[in-house]
Amino acid sequence: MGQVAGQVFRDVPSLLLLFFMTNVLGIEPALAGAAIFVPKLVLGVGCDMAVGILSDRWKHRFARRWWLLVGAAGAPLAIILLFHVPDLPMSGKAAYVTAAFSLYMAVFASFSVPYLAIAGELSSDTHQRTVLMAWRLVFTAIGVLVGGSVAPYIVQSNGGGQGAYEEMARFLALVCPLALGVAFFGAARAARQAGVAPAVASGARRLSFGEALRVLAAPRFSVLLGSNLLQLAGSGMAYASMLYFLTYNMARTDAFQLIGGLVAIACTAIILAQPVWVALAKRVGKKPVYLLSAIGYGTTYLVWAFCADAGTVAAYVLCFIASAFNSGWALLSFSMMSDIAGEDQKHAGLYSGAWIAVDKIGFGLGGTLLVGLLLSGFGFDSARAVMGQAQTDLAIRGVMLAFGVVPALLNLTAAAIFWRFGRT
């Protein structure tokens, strides 16, 4: 249940915020992308690492699950402020979004890092951790459905203007604290059932910055982290570009409705694929399955980029295949990370903080900064978008690159790096 809140917090800005800023607020794409990416880079990374280190240092007196309540308290305010943008000049609107998204990132860190660290504490068996991560992916699908299907439906059904986004934010401000509250009480029960002893004060000293870097730089972790960064940048680009791709490349006037169907297909694929990936990982190992799914994901998006005219059914089929492969590398990367954190409990929060920070950097780098720069570089006109006018052929080509070609190259590169240097 905690993953529902985490996925909503992750996906709603990635899917809707850039489109909201360019097509509703009229902010130029590169400026809009920078306004989102800078808080992710500065506040996101800083808060993730700080919460990770503090959750390690304080776990003997402040159990990690209590951080979930901190997130539950801050989530409604953060979501509502993000989409309630006052009427200001373009630069003022961009500055407001930067400030609101900074708060959003701090709240996100307060629950996402401890939530992930808890997973490595619930079992010492590597296969059982894969099963736990598979269930996490099932609830990821539910979170994706809420953030990627229900949220766009609310926007479309309320007219698609700023008021519609504000209505969506008020709905999500109810969902996220509810999910985190359930996770808070469930975490204590899960720990008791798993036989996890309460942490006691161990007199552990504080890690210096250099020592923390040396822990994170160990090849087993750093190669996995670097590969994941490239994959997340690619998937972030594809996700953030999807509304643009549907609207301009597929020429769909019902893009918000169609994306709801695509997200529902994606969620179905994620859930159905989990038993397959778990069984394959147990049979042939985590690394081969990770590589297979990363290559499959990249290849599918490359095909999709050149099939904009193939119609709705083809889009559904390609979305199903891409989502199944996406869930494979997401499952196995989290499972391998939880193995590392579970074997080194002293630094579990540090590993989780770095992992979540890279998740936000990668998804933000791809889904905001790179997409914004590509769209601006290829001449996407926000003023024409606000008025509902067509874009140039060059701008539409830029959307295609951002949606499918560059994400495919990033994922295939990640697979090559992990094949050469990675180890489980």
Side-chain angles (χ1 to χ4, degrees):
M1 281 299 294
Q3 185 59 28
V4 173
Q7 204 65 31
V8 167
F9 251 71
R10 180 181 187 261
D11 282 6
V12 168
S14 299
L15 179 64
L16 297 176
L17 187 55
L18 186 66
F19 193 85
F20 169 67
M21 294 177 73
T22 59
N23 288 44
V24 176
L25 302 182
I27 300 173
E28 192 267 336
L31 176 60
I36 302 170
F37 179 68
V38 170
K40 279 199 172 187
L41 181 63
V42 179
L43 266 295
V45 174
C47 291
D48 287 338
M49 297 306 295
V51 171
I53 292 170
L54 290 175
S55 72
D56 281 341
R57 188 181 301 165
W58 295 348
K59 65 179 181 179
H60 61 281
R61 53 181 176 174
F62 188 75
R64 294 192 207 272
R65 71 188 184 99
W66 287 95
W67 290 91
L68 303 181
L69 284 190
V70 176
L77 178 64
I79 293 173
I80 288 173
L81 286 178
L82 185 59
F83 288 97
H84 283 67
V85 181
D87 187 12
L88 298 168
M90 182 186 298
S91 59
K93 290 178 181 178
Y96 174 87
V97 172
T98 299
F101 201 52
S102 296
L103 172 65
Y104 190 95
M105 285 291 98
V107 172
F108 194 7
S110 70
F111 69 85
S112 59
V113 174
Y115 165 80
L116 184 58
I118 288 169
E121 299 173 347
L122 293 181
S123 176
S124 59
D125 181 82
T126 59
H127 177 66
Q128 184 61 33
R129 290 196 189 109
T130 303
V131 175
L132 285 170
M133 291 298 104
W135 278 107
R136 175 184 178 274
L137 264 291
V138 169
F139 282 88
T140 291
I142 298 173
V144 169
L145 191 65
V146 173
S149 185
V150 177
Y153 172 77
I154 293 172
V155 171
Q156 185 178 40
S157 62
N158 284 276
Q162 183 168 345
Y165 284 87
E166 293 172 354
E167 185 66 28
M168 173 203 71
R170 288 190 286 270
F171 167 74
L172 297 178
L174 298 175
V175 172
C176 290
L178 176 63
L180 288 171
V182 173
F184 168 76
F185 290 105
R189 183 169 181 265
R192 289 194 300 270
Q193 288 180 330
V196 178
V200 296
S202 61
R205 62 185 181 83
R206 297 183 178 184
L207 280 180
S208 69
F209 180 74
E211 289 170 327
L213 284 181
R214 283 193 289 275
V215 170
L216 298 177
R220 185 185 181 194
F221 182 74
S222 60
V223 173
L224 179 63
L225 190 68
S227 299
N228 196 55
L229 172 63
L230 293 176
Q231 289 177 303
L232 287 165
S235 59
M237 289 187 73
Y239 205 57
S241 304
M242 186 171 287
L243 273 174
Y244 296 96
F245 187 77
L246 300 180
T247 302
Y248 299 107
N249 297 70
M250 292 184 65
R252 297 294 294 253
T253 57
D254 60 343
F256 278 89
Q257 181 178 339
L258 179 57
I259 204 168
L262 290 171
V263 168
I265 290 290
C267 294
T268 303
I270 291 170
I271 293 171
L272 293 179
Q274 294 314 294
V276 177
W277 296 128
V278 170
L280 277 175
K282 186 176 183 180
R283 187 176 185 85
V284 303
K286 297 182 182 183
K287 181 176 178 178
V289 179
Y290 176 86
L291 293 172
L292 169 66
S293 53
I295 293 169
Y297 176 81
T299 303
T300 305
Y301 262 96
L302 191 61
V303 172
W304 197 352
F306 292 96
C307 292
D309 297 330
T312 304
V313 174
Y316 282 148
V317 171
L318 289 166
C319 182
F320 184 93
I321 296 170
S323 300
F325 281 124
N326 187 350
S327 73
W329 66 254
L331 166 65
L332 274 303
S333 62
F334 271 110
S335 181
M336 288 186 283
M337 192 285 296
S338 67
D339 287 342
I340 296 168
E343 293 164 12
D344 184 6
Q345 279 291 306
K346 290 191 303 180
H347 303 126
L350 177 62
Y351 288 126
S352 298
W355 192 266
I356 293 295
V358 164
D359 183 292
K360 292 172 184 175
I361 291 172
F363 221 62
L365 174 66
T368 57
L369 191 63
L370 294 182
V371 170
L373 290 173
L374 258 177
L375 294 185
S376 289
F378 278 78
F380 186 90
D381 191 330
S382 294
R384 294 176 65 87
V386 171
M387 293 185 289
Q389 297 176 354
Q391 298 290 329
T392 65
D393 290 342
L394 182 63
I396 292 174
R397 193 173 303 120
V399 172
M400 182 197 71
L401 291 173
F403 175 74
V405 177
V406 178
L409 294 176
L410 288 170
N411 274 269
L412 294 174
T413 302
I417 291 173
F418 195 75
W419 173 78
R420 177 64 180 83
F421 301 105
R423 54 193 177 92
T424 57

PDB file of all heavy atoms in Angstrom, residues 98-130:
ATOM      1  N   THR A  98       8.917  25.878  -9.114  1.00  0.00           N
ATOM      2  CA  THR A  98      10.196  25.443  -8.544  1.00  0.00           C
ATOM      3  C   THR A  98      10.123  25.376  -7.022  1.00  0.00           C
ATOM      4  O   THR A  98      10.567  24.400  -6.398  1.00  0.00           O
ATOM      5  CB  THR A  98      11.325  26.397  -8.970  1.00  0.00           C
ATOM      6  OG1 THR A  98      11.438  26.374 -10.396  1.00  0.00           O
ATOM      7  CG2 THR A  98      12.652  25.982  -8.359  1.00  0.00           C
ATOM      8  N   ALA A  99       9.551  26.406  -6.391  1.00  0.00           N
ATOM      9  CA  ALA A  99       9.439  26.435  -4.932  1.00  0.00           C
ATOM     10  C   ALA A  99       8.490  25.345  -4.428  1.00  0.00           C
ATOM     11  O   ALA A  99       8.801  24.619  -3.464  1.00  0.00           O
ATOM     12  CB  ALA A  99       8.965  27.811  -4.477  1.00  0.00           C
ATOM     13  N   ALA A 100       7.323  25.208  -5.090  1.00  0.00           N
ATOM     14  CA  ALA A 100       6.352  24.199  -4.658  1.00  0.00           C
ATOM     15  C   ALA A 100       6.894  22.787  -4.852  1.00  0.00           C
ATOM     16  O   ALA A 100       6.679  21.901  -4.009  1.00  0.00           O
ATOM     17  CB  ALA A 100       5.043  24.374  -5.433  1.00  0.00           C
ATOM     18  N   PHE A 101       7.628  22.591  -5.938  1.00  0.00           N
ATOM     19  CA  PHE A 101       8.172  21.257  -6.201  1.00  0.00           C
ATOM     20  C   PHE A 101       9.330  20.932  -5.258  1.00  0.00           C
ATOM     21  O   PHE A 101       9.595  19.763  -4.985  1.00  0.00           O
ATOM     22  CB  PHE A 101       8.616  21.163  -7.659  1.00  0.00           C
ATOM     23  CG  PHE A 101       8.707  19.751  -8.177  1.00  0.00           C
ATOM     24  CD1 PHE A 101       7.641  18.882  -8.030  1.00  0.00           C
ATOM     25  CD2 PHE A 101       9.850  19.292  -8.809  1.00  0.00           C
ATOM     26  CE1 PHE A 101       7.708  17.572  -8.496  1.00  0.00           C
ATOM     27  CE2 PHE A 101       9.933  17.996  -9.271  1.00  0.00           C
ATOM     28  CZ  PHE A 101       8.855  17.129  -9.119  1.00  0.00           C
ATOM     29  N   SER A 102      10.004  21.950  -4.752  1.00  0.00           N
ATOM     30  CA  SER A 102      11.042  21.726  -3.740  1.00  0.00           C
ATOM     31  C   SER A 102      10.425  21.146  -2.468  1.00  0.00           C
ATOM     32  O   SER A 102      10.946  20.187  -1.884  1.00  0.00           O
ATOM     33  CB  SER A 102      11.764  23.037  -3.427  1.00  0.00           C
ATOM     34  OG  SER A 102      12.451  23.525  -4.561  1.00  0.00           O
ATOM     35  N   LEU A 103       9.309  21.728  -2.024  1.00  0.00           N
ATOM     36  CA  LEU A 103       8.600  21.174  -0.872  1.00  0.00           C
ATOM     37  C   LEU A 103       8.122  19.758  -1.174  1.00  0.00           C
ATOM     38  O   LEU A 103       8.224  18.852  -0.327  1.00  0.00           O
ATOM     39  CB  LEU A 103       7.405  22.066  -0.520  1.00  0.00           C
ATOM     40  CG  LEU A 103       6.442  21.517   0.543  1.00  0.00           C
ATOM     41  CD1 LEU A 103       7.143  21.387   1.890  1.00  0.00           C
ATOM     42  CD2 LEU A 103       5.203  22.405   0.661  1.00  0.00           C
ATOM     43  N   TYR A 104       7.612  19.555  -2.370  1.00  0.00           N
ATOM     44  CA  TYR A 104       7.124  18.252  -2.805  1.00  0.00           C
ATOM     45  C   TYR A 104       8.238  17.198  -2.696  1.00  0.00           C
ATOM     46  O   TYR A 104       8.019  16.089  -2.213  1.00  0.00           O
ATOM     47  CB  TYR A 104       6.636  18.390  -4.241  1.00  0.00           C
ATOM     48  CG  TYR A 104       5.880  17.222  -4.823  1.00  0.00           C
ATOM     49  CD1 TYR A 104       4.492  17.191  -4.784  1.00  0.00           C
ATOM     50  CD2 TYR A 104       6.535  16.170  -5.463  1.00  0.00           C
ATOM     51  CE1 TYR A 104       3.773  16.149  -5.352  1.00  0.00           C
ATOM     52  CE2 TYR A 104       5.833  15.127  -6.027  1.00  0.00           C
ATOM     53  CZ  TYR A 104       4.451  15.121  -5.971  1.00  0.00           C
ATOM     54  OH  TYR A 104       3.748  14.080  -6.531  1.00  0.00           O
ATOM     55  N   MET A 105       9.430  17.547  -3.132  1.00  0.00           N
ATOM     56  CA  MET A 105      10.563  16.622  -3.080  1.00  0.00           C
ATOM     57  C   MET A 105      10.972  16.292  -1.639  1.00  0.00           C
ATOM     58  O   MET A 105      11.336  15.154  -1.327  1.00  0.00           O
ATOM     59  CB  MET A 105      11.753  17.220  -3.831  1.00  0.00           C
ATOM     60  CG  MET A 105      11.658  17.182  -5.341  1.00  0.00           C
ATOM     61  SD  MET A 105      11.766  15.493  -6.017  1.00  0.00           S
ATOM     62  CE  MET A 105      10.046  15.107  -6.268  1.00  0.00           C
ATOM     63  N   ALA A 106      10.904  17.285  -0.753  1.00  0.00           N
ATOM     64  CA  ALA A 106      11.253  17.036   0.648  1.00  0.00           C
ATOM     65  C   ALA A 106      10.258  16.074   1.288  1.00  0.00           C
ATOM     66  O   ALA A 106      10.644  15.149   2.025  1.00  0.00           O
ATOM     67  CB  ALA A 106      11.289  18.360   1.413  1.00  0.00           C
ATOM     68  N   VAL A 107       8.965  16.264   1.006  1.00  0.00           N
ATOM     69  CA  VAL A 107       7.943  15.356   1.540  1.00  0.00           C
ATOM     70  C   VAL A 107       8.110  13.963   0.957  1.00  0.00           C
ATOM     71  O   VAL A 107       8.020  12.948   1.673  1.00  0.00           O
ATOM     72  CB  VAL A 107       6.531  15.914   1.241  1.00  0.00           C
ATOM     73  CG1 VAL A 107       5.463  14.886   1.608  1.00  0.00           C
ATOM     74  CG2 VAL A 107       6.300  17.214   1.996  1.00  0.00           C
ATOM     75  N   PHE A 108       8.376  13.886  -0.342  1.00  0.00           N
ATOM     76  CA  PHE A 108       8.573  12.596  -1.001  1.00  0.00           C
ATOM     77  C   PHE A 108       9.722  11.824  -0.345  1.00  0.00           C
ATOM     78  O   PHE A 108       9.612  10.620  -0.064  1.00  0.00           O
ATOM     79  CB  PHE A 108       8.855  12.837  -2.482  1.00  0.00           C
ATOM     80  CG  PHE A 108       8.753  11.608  -3.361  1.00  0.00           C
ATOM     81  CD1 PHE A 108       8.287  10.407  -2.875  1.00  0.00           C
ATOM     82  CD2 PHE A 108       9.127  11.678  -4.700  1.00  0.00           C
ATOM     83  CE1 PHE A 108       8.194   9.281  -3.686  1.00  0.00           C
ATOM     84  CE2 PHE A 108       9.053  10.566  -5.519  1.00  0.00           C
ATOM     85  CZ  PHE A 108       8.578   9.374  -5.015  1.00  0.00           C
ATOM     86  N   ALA A 109      10.832  12.506  -0.073  1.00  0.00           N
ATOM     87  CA  ALA A 109      11.987  11.852   0.554  1.00  0.00           C
ATOM     88  C   ALA A 109      11.642  11.322   1.934  1.00  0.00           C
ATOM     89  O   ALA A 109      12.126  10.254   2.339  1.00  0.00           O
ATOM     90  CB  ALA A 109      13.151  12.832   0.642  1.00  0.00           C
ATOM     91  N   SER A 110      10.798  12.039   2.669  1.00  0.00           N
ATOM     92  CA  SER A 110      10.530  11.678   4.063  1.00  0.00           C
ATOM     93  C   SER A 110       9.896  10.301   4.205  1.00  0.00           C
ATOM     94  O   SER A 110      10.049   9.655   5.242  1.00  0.00           O
ATOM     95  CB  SER A 110       9.627  12.728   4.722  1.00  0.00           C
ATOM     96  OG  SER A 110       8.307  12.675   4.200  1.00  0.00           O
ATOM     97  N   PHE A 111       9.191   9.826   3.167  1.00  0.00           N
ATOM     98  CA  PHE A 111       8.598   8.488   3.289  1.00  0.00           C
ATOM     99  C   PHE A 111       9.147   7.484   2.286  1.00  0.00           C
ATOM    100  O   PHE A 111       9.175   6.282   2.552  1.00  0.00           O
ATOM    101  CB  PHE A 111       7.069   8.549   3.171  1.00  0.00           C
ATOM    102  CG  PHE A 111       6.519   8.912   1.821  1.00  0.00           C
ATOM    103  CD1 PHE A 111       6.331   7.953   0.845  1.00  0.00           C
ATOM    104  CD2 PHE A 111       6.160  10.219   1.528  1.00  0.00           C
ATOM    105  CE1 PHE A 111       5.806   8.283  -0.400  1.00  0.00           C
ATOM    106  CE2 PHE A 111       5.628  10.565   0.294  1.00  0.00           C
ATOM    107  CZ  PHE A 111       5.455   9.590  -0.677  1.00  0.00           C
ATOM    108  N   SER A 112       9.640   7.921   1.120  1.00  0.00           N
ATOM    109  CA  SER A 112      10.051   6.964   0.095  1.00  0.00           C
ATOM    110  C   SER A 112      11.336   6.227   0.463  1.00  0.00           C
ATOM    111  O   SER A 112      11.481   5.041   0.168  1.00  0.00           O
ATOM    112  CB  SER A 112      10.224   7.678  -1.253  1.00  0.00           C
ATOM    113  OG  SER A 112      11.188   8.702  -1.179  1.00  0.00           O
ATOM    114  N   VAL A 113      12.274   6.904   1.097  1.00  0.00           N
ATOM    115  CA  VAL A 113      13.547   6.263   1.449  1.00  0.00           C
ATOM    116  C   VAL A 113      13.365   5.233   2.564  1.00  0.00           C
ATOM    117  O   VAL A 113      13.771   4.076   2.423  1.00  0.00           O
ATOM    118  CB  VAL A 113      14.599   7.334   1.822  1.00  0.00           C
ATOM    119  CG1 VAL A 113      15.878   6.671   2.330  1.00  0.00           C
ATOM    120  CG2 VAL A 113      14.899   8.220   0.624  1.00  0.00           C
ATOM    121  N   PRO A 114      12.758   5.586   3.715  1.00  0.00           N
ATOM    122  CA  PRO A 114      12.552   4.564   4.754  1.00  0.00           C
ATOM    123  C   PRO A 114      11.673   3.410   4.273  1.00  0.00           C
ATOM    124  O   PRO A 114      11.898   2.259   4.655  1.00  0.00           O
ATOM    125  CB  PRO A 114      11.873   5.348   5.882  1.00  0.00           C
ATOM    126  CG  PRO A 114      12.264   6.769   5.657  1.00  0.00           C
ATOM    127  CD  PRO A 114      12.320   6.921   4.165  1.00  0.00           C
ATOM    128  N   TYR A 115      10.681   3.720   3.439  1.00  0.00           N
ATOM    129  CA  TYR A 115       9.806   2.664   2.912  1.00  0.00           C
ATOM    130  C   TYR A 115      10.622   1.601   2.173  1.00  0.00           C
ATOM    131  O   TYR A 115      10.429   0.395   2.359  1.00  0.00           O
ATOM    132  CB  TYR A 115       8.754   3.286   1.983  1.00  0.00           C
ATOM    133  CG  TYR A 115       8.040   2.271   1.126  1.00  0.00           C
ATOM    134  CD1 TYR A 115       7.008   1.501   1.642  1.00  0.00           C
ATOM    135  CD2 TYR A 115       8.425   2.060  -0.191  1.00  0.00           C
ATOM    136  CE1 TYR A 115       6.361   0.556   0.867  1.00  0.00           C
ATOM    137  CE2 TYR A 115       7.787   1.114  -0.976  1.00  0.00           C
ATOM    138  CZ  TYR A 115       6.758   0.374  -0.448  1.00  0.00           C
ATOM    139  OH  TYR A 115       6.134  -0.569  -1.216  1.00  0.00           O
ATOM    140  N   LEU A 116      11.547   2.047   1.326  1.00  0.00           N
ATOM    141  CA  LEU A 116      12.353   1.104   0.572  1.00  0.00           C
ATOM    142  C   LEU A 116      13.317   0.345   1.478  1.00  0.00           C
ATOM    143  O   LEU A 116      13.545  -0.855   1.296  1.00  0.00           O
ATOM    144  CB  LEU A 116      13.131   1.835  -0.527  1.00  0.00           C
ATOM    145  CG  LEU A 116      13.963   0.976  -1.468  1.00  0.00           C
ATOM    146  CD1 LEU A 116      13.092  -0.061  -2.168  1.00  0.00           C
ATOM    147  CD2 LEU A 116      14.675   1.847  -2.498  1.00  0.00           C
ATOM    148  N   ALA A 117      13.885   1.020   2.471  1.00  0.00           N
ATOM    149  CA  ALA A 117      14.828   0.363   3.387  1.00  0.00           C
ATOM    150  C   ALA A 117      14.150  -0.739   4.190  1.00  0.00           C
ATOM    151  O   ALA A 117      14.780  -1.747   4.539  1.00  0.00           O
ATOM    152  CB  ALA A 117      15.454   1.395   4.325  1.00  0.00           C
ATOM    153  N   ILE A 118      12.874  -0.574   4.504  1.00  0.00           N
ATOM    154  CA  ILE A 118      12.144  -1.585   5.273  1.00  0.00           C
ATOM    155  C   ILE A 118      12.150  -2.931   4.554  1.00  0.00           C
ATOM    156  O   ILE A 118      12.251  -3.991   5.184  1.00  0.00           O
ATOM    157  CB  ILE A 118      10.693  -1.119   5.527  1.00  0.00           C
ATOM    158  CG1 ILE A 118      10.676   0.018   6.555  1.00  0.00           C
ATOM    159  CG2 ILE A 118       9.816  -2.275   6.012  1.00  0.00           C
ATOM    160  CD1 ILE A 118       9.325   0.709   6.680  1.00  0.00           C
ATOM    161  N   ALA A 119      12.082  -2.906   3.213  1.00  0.00           N
ATOM    162  CA  ALA A 119      11.973  -4.150   2.446  1.00  0.00           C
ATOM    163  C   ALA A 119      13.158  -5.074   2.686  1.00  0.00           C
ATOM    164  O   ALA A 119      13.001  -6.288   2.793  1.00  0.00           O
ATOM    165  CB  ALA A 119      11.842  -3.834   0.961  1.00  0.00           C
ATOM    166  N   GLY A 120      14.366  -4.501   2.760  1.00  0.00           N
ATOM    167  CA  GLY A 120      15.552  -5.328   2.961  1.00  0.00           C
ATOM    168  C   GLY A 120      15.643  -5.925   4.350  1.00  0.00           C
ATOM    169  O   GLY A 120      16.434  -6.837   4.585  1.00  0.00           O
ATOM    170  N   GLU A 121      14.833  -5.410   5.281  1.00  0.00           N
ATOM    171  CA  GLU A 121      14.882  -5.888   6.660  1.00  0.00           C
ATOM    172  C   GLU A 121      13.916  -7.036   6.919  1.00  0.00           C
ATOM    173  O   GLU A 121      13.980  -7.686   7.954  1.00  0.00           O
ATOM    174  CB  GLU A 121      14.555  -4.734   7.615  1.00  0.00           C
ATOM    175  CG  GLU A 121      15.532  -3.556   7.526  1.00  0.00           C
ATOM    176  CD  GLU A 121      15.078  -2.369   8.358  1.00  0.00           C
ATOM    177  OE1 GLU A 121      13.908  -2.371   8.804  1.00  0.00           O
ATOM    178  OE2 GLU A 121      15.884  -1.448   8.570  1.00  0.00           O
ATOM    179  N   LEU A 122      13.003  -7.304   5.998  1.00  0.00           N
ATOM    180  CA  LEU A 122      11.934  -8.262   6.267  1.00  0.00           C
ATOM    181  C   LEU A 122      12.307  -9.701   5.942  1.00  0.00           C
ATOM    182  O   LEU A 122      11.591 -10.611   6.336  1.00  0.00           O
ATOM    183  CB  LEU A 122      10.680  -7.866   5.476  1.00  0.00           C
ATOM    184  CG  LEU A 122      10.016  -6.558   5.920  1.00  0.00           C
ATOM    185  CD1 LEU A 122       8.769  -6.281   5.095  1.00  0.00           C
ATOM    186  CD2 LEU A 122       9.671  -6.591   7.398  1.00  0.00           C
ATOM    187  N   SER A 123      13.398  -9.917   5.211  1.00  0.00           N
ATOM    188  CA  SER A 123      13.812 -11.284   4.908  1.00  0.00           C
ATOM    189  C   SER A 123      15.306 -11.310   4.597  1.00  0.00           C
ATOM    190  O   SER A 123      15.843 -10.367   4.020  1.00  0.00           O
ATOM    191  CB  SER A 123      13.030 -11.836   3.714  1.00  0.00           C
ATOM    192  OG  SER A 123      13.499 -13.128   3.372  1.00  0.00           O
ATOM    193  N   SER A 124      15.961 -12.399   4.960  1.00  0.00           N
ATOM    194  CA  SER A 124      17.376 -12.583   4.630  1.00  0.00           C
ATOM    195  C   SER A 124      17.551 -13.505   3.429  1.00  0.00           C
ATOM    196  O   SER A 124      18.679 -13.763   3.005  1.00  0.00           O
ATOM    197  CB  SER A 124      18.119 -13.172   5.836  1.00  0.00           C
ATOM    198  OG  SER A 124      17.549 -14.421   6.211  1.00  0.00           O
ATOM    199  N   ASP A 125      16.451 -13.996   2.861  1.00  0.00           N
ATOM    200  CA  ASP A 125      16.495 -14.906   1.720  1.00  0.00           C
ATOM    201  C   ASP A 125      16.389 -14.109   0.416  1.00  0.00           C
ATOM    202  O   ASP A 125      15.455 -13.326   0.243  1.00  0.00           O
ATOM    203  CB  ASP A 125      15.348 -15.910   1.825  1.00  0.00           C
ATOM    204  CG  ASP A 125      15.349 -16.894   0.675  1.00  0.00           C
ATOM    205  OD1 ASP A 125      16.105 -17.879   0.731  1.00  0.00           O
ATOM    206  OD2 ASP A 125      14.599 -16.658  -0.303  1.00  0.00           O
ATOM    207  N   THR A 126      17.332 -14.327  -0.514  1.00  0.00           N
ATOM    208  CA  THR A 126      17.366 -13.510  -1.726  1.00  0.00           C
ATOM    209  C   THR A 126      16.149 -13.754  -2.619  1.00  0.00           C
ATOM    210  O   THR A 126      15.624 -12.818  -3.221  1.00  0.00           O
ATOM    211  CB  THR A 126      18.646 -13.788  -2.535  1.00  0.00           C
ATOM    212  OG1 THR A 126      18.689 -15.178  -2.896  1.00  0.00           O
ATOM    213  CG2 THR A 126      19.881 -13.437  -1.731  1.00  0.00           C
ATOM    214  N   HIS A 127      15.685 -15.005  -2.711  1.00  0.00           N
ATOM    215  CA  HIS A 127      14.489 -15.265  -3.524  1.00  0.00           C
ATOM    216  C   HIS A 127      13.257 -14.647  -2.884  1.00  0.00           C
ATOM    217  O   HIS A 127      12.385 -14.102  -3.572  1.00  0.00           O
ATOM    218  CB  HIS A 127      14.283 -16.764  -3.718  1.00  0.00           C
ATOM    219  CG  HIS A 127      13.034 -17.090  -4.492  1.00  0.00           C
ATOM    220  ND1 HIS A 127      12.876 -16.751  -5.822  1.00  0.00           N
ATOM    221  CD2 HIS A 127      11.874 -17.699  -4.100  1.00  0.00           C
ATOM    222  CE1 HIS A 127      11.671 -17.143  -6.226  1.00  0.00           C
ATOM    223  NE2 HIS A 127      11.050 -17.716  -5.204  1.00  0.00           N
ATOM    224  N   GLN A 128      13.172 -14.730  -1.545  1.00  0.00           N
ATOM    225  CA  GLN A 128      12.020 -14.140  -0.872  1.00  0.00           C
ATOM    226  C   GLN A 128      11.986 -12.626  -1.081  1.00  0.00           C
ATOM    227  O   GLN A 128      10.910 -12.025  -1.194  1.00  0.00           O
ATOM    228  CB  GLN A 128      12.061 -14.456   0.628  1.00  0.00           C
ATOM    229  CG  GLN A 128      10.839 -13.968   1.397  1.00  0.00           C
ATOM    230  CD  GLN A 128       9.545 -14.586   0.919  1.00  0.00           C
ATOM    231  OE1 GLN A 128       9.533 -15.735   0.502  1.00  0.00           O
ATOM    232  NE2 GLN A 128       8.469 -13.832   0.959  1.00  0.00           N
ATOM    233  N   ARG A 129      13.164 -11.996  -1.168  1.00  0.00           N
ATOM    234  CA  ARG A 129      13.189 -10.557  -1.453  1.00  0.00           C
ATOM    235  C   ARG A 129      12.645 -10.280  -2.849  1.00  0.00           C
ATOM    236  O   ARG A 129      11.989  -9.263  -3.075  1.00  0.00           O
ATOM    237  CB  ARG A 129      14.618 -10.016  -1.319  1.00  0.00           C
ATOM    238  CG  ARG A 129      15.133  -9.971   0.111  1.00  0.00           C
ATOM    239  CD  ARG A 129      16.373  -9.087   0.207  1.00  0.00           C
ATOM    240  NE  ARG A 129      16.986  -9.203   1.524  1.00  0.00           N
ATOM    241  CZ  ARG A 129      18.142  -9.821   1.764  1.00  0.00           C
ATOM    242  NH1 ARG A 129      18.821 -10.356   0.764  1.00  0.00           N
ATOM    243  NH2 ARG A 129      18.632  -9.880   2.980  1.00  0.00           N
ATOM    244  N   THR A 130      12.927 -11.175  -3.801  1.00  0.00           N
ATOM    245  CA  THR A 130      12.362 -11.008  -5.137  1.00  0.00           C
ATOM    246  C   THR A 130      10.847 -11.091  -5.092  1.00  0.00           C
ATOM    247  O   THR A 130      10.135 -10.317  -5.758  1.00  0.00           O
ATOM    248  CB  THR A 130      12.924 -12.077  -6.092  1.00  0.00           C
ATOM    249  OG1 THR A 130      14.347 -11.998  -6.116  1.00  0.00           O
ATOM    250  CG2 THR A 130      12.397 -11.860  -7.517  1.00  0.00           C
TER     251      THR A 130
END
